[in-house]
Amino acid sequence: SAVISQKPSRDICQRGTSLTIQCQVDSQVTMMFWYRQQPGQSLTLIATANQGSEATYESGFVIDKFPISRPNLTFSTLTVSNMSPEDSSIYLCSAQRDRGYEQYFGPGTRLTVT
Amino acid sequence: GESVGLHLPTLSVQEGDNSIINCAYSNSASDYFIWYKQESGKGPQFIIDIRSNMDKRQGQRVTVLLNKTVKHLSLQIAATQPGDSAVYFCAETHNSGNTPLVFGKGTRLSVIA
């Protein structure tokens, strides 16, 4: 399995500002993902973080709003840009050792936008 | 489009009884399935997985059953304990895991002591 940590664990931000969330995995992994989870709801994939190239975004998510970096095989960041209250959610980082293997999750970052 | 859903949004079970959580999926190409447990304030925790070449897989106190004919997945928890109280999600993917997971809506399991 992989142990995944995220920073910050929670934050309260003002409208119009940006927040960068960090994700660190304790071992090298092929795949890293970012999800959003509204309170009491399921997980929605934002994008796949690709090492050495641009992230692959799902429908409804764009790079200008959610820029992602993946500089190496153990680390990724997600930025939530120009935040609005609608961005209040839990953001989860996930990692997969290789395609077709178990996918593990970090503890999440709880974001509140006022 | 693809969807993964659940028959029961909430489930209350007496401590010591067995729990069964169900999940339906719509993509007949789905070939890899995972069950996750999410406790309040935490990220989803991997429980057990199953590939489409199997119809049953057992772990410690948990069993996953896969019925590809009716596109149905279930998670059975034996001798349910208070620590099993959580939200359970099924997730599916296809192309042998080379596509991102699609998550179901989740079932909240409450264990009555």
Side-chain angles (χ1 to χ4, degrees):
Chain A
S1 66
V3 177
I4 303 171
S5 59
Q6 289 184 231
K7 286 195 292 187
S9 58
R10 59 177 61 228
D11 207 343
I12 301 173
C13 301
Q14 289 193 341
R15 177 196 302 260
T17 63
S18 298
L19 175 72
T20 295
I21 303 168
Q22 298 180 7
C23 176
Q24 180 73 54
V25 188
D26 69 341
S27 58
Q28 292 187 344
V29 292
T30 301
M31 311 293 289
M32 293 185 74
F33 307 92
W34 287 97
Y35 288 80
R36 183 170 71 183
Q37 184 178 28
Q38 306 281 9
Q41 297 191 23
S42 188
L43 285 73
T44 301
L45 180 66
I46 297 172
T48 301
N50 300 310
Q51 196 258 332
S53 64
E54 192 172 285
T56 304
Y57 289 85
E58 298 299 303
S59 175
F61 298 97
V62 295
I63 187 171
D64 290 346
K65 177 67 177 177
F66 297 102
I68 288 171
S69 78
R70 174 121 188 247
N72 56 49
L73 293 175
T74 63
F75 186 80
S76 178
T77 67
L78 168 74
T79 299
V80 187
S81 303
N82 188 24
M83 289 184 284
S84 66
E86 292 71 37
D87 295 320
S88 297
S89 190
I90 299 168
Y91 292 86
L92 292 152
C93 173
S94 175
Q96 190 178 27
R97 178 164 60 91
D98 204 345
R99 297 178 188 272
Y101 288 84
E102 305 92 73
Q103 190 170 329
Y104 296 93
F105 284 82
T109 296
R110 183 178 295 272
L111 171 63
T112 302
V113 183
T114 60
Chain B
E2 296 180 12
S3 69
V4 180
L6 292 170
H7 295 309
L8 296 173
T10 60
L11 179 65
S12 295
V13 176
Q14 202 73 31
E15 181 179 0
D17 287 352
N18 297 333
S19 303
I20 300 176
I21 301 171
N22 296 303
C23 180
Y25 63 95
S26 60
N27 186 355
S28 57
S30 297
D31 57 10
Y32 181 50
F33 305 85
I34 303 177
W35 279 100
Y36 288 94
K37 172 187 180 183
Q38 188 175 29
E39 297 173 279
S40 181
K42 297 184 179 180
Q45 175 189 354
F46 176 95
I47 301 174
I48 192 168
D49 60 355
I50 189 168
R51 299 187 187 274
S52 59
N53 61 350
M54 303 174 70
D55 52 21
K56 180 179 180 179
R57 190 159 188 233
Q58 289 184 291
Q60 188 177 14
R61 280 201 308 119
V62 296
T63 300
V64 55
L65 299 177
L66 175 63
N67 186 329
K68 294 180 289 293
T69 302
V70 296
K71 296 198 282 290
H72 183 268
L73 190 70
S74 69
L75 177 70
Q76 300 179 3
I77 304 173
T80 311
Q81 303 169 359
D84 295 327
S85 294
V87 177
Y88 290 80
F89 293 98
C90 63
E92 61 89 13
T93 182
H94 56 277
N95 196 21
S96 300
N98 286 328
T99 54
L101 288 172
V102 174
F103 280 78
K105 294 180 181 176
T107 293
R108 180 173 298 281
L109 175 64
S110 296
V111 181
I112 305 166

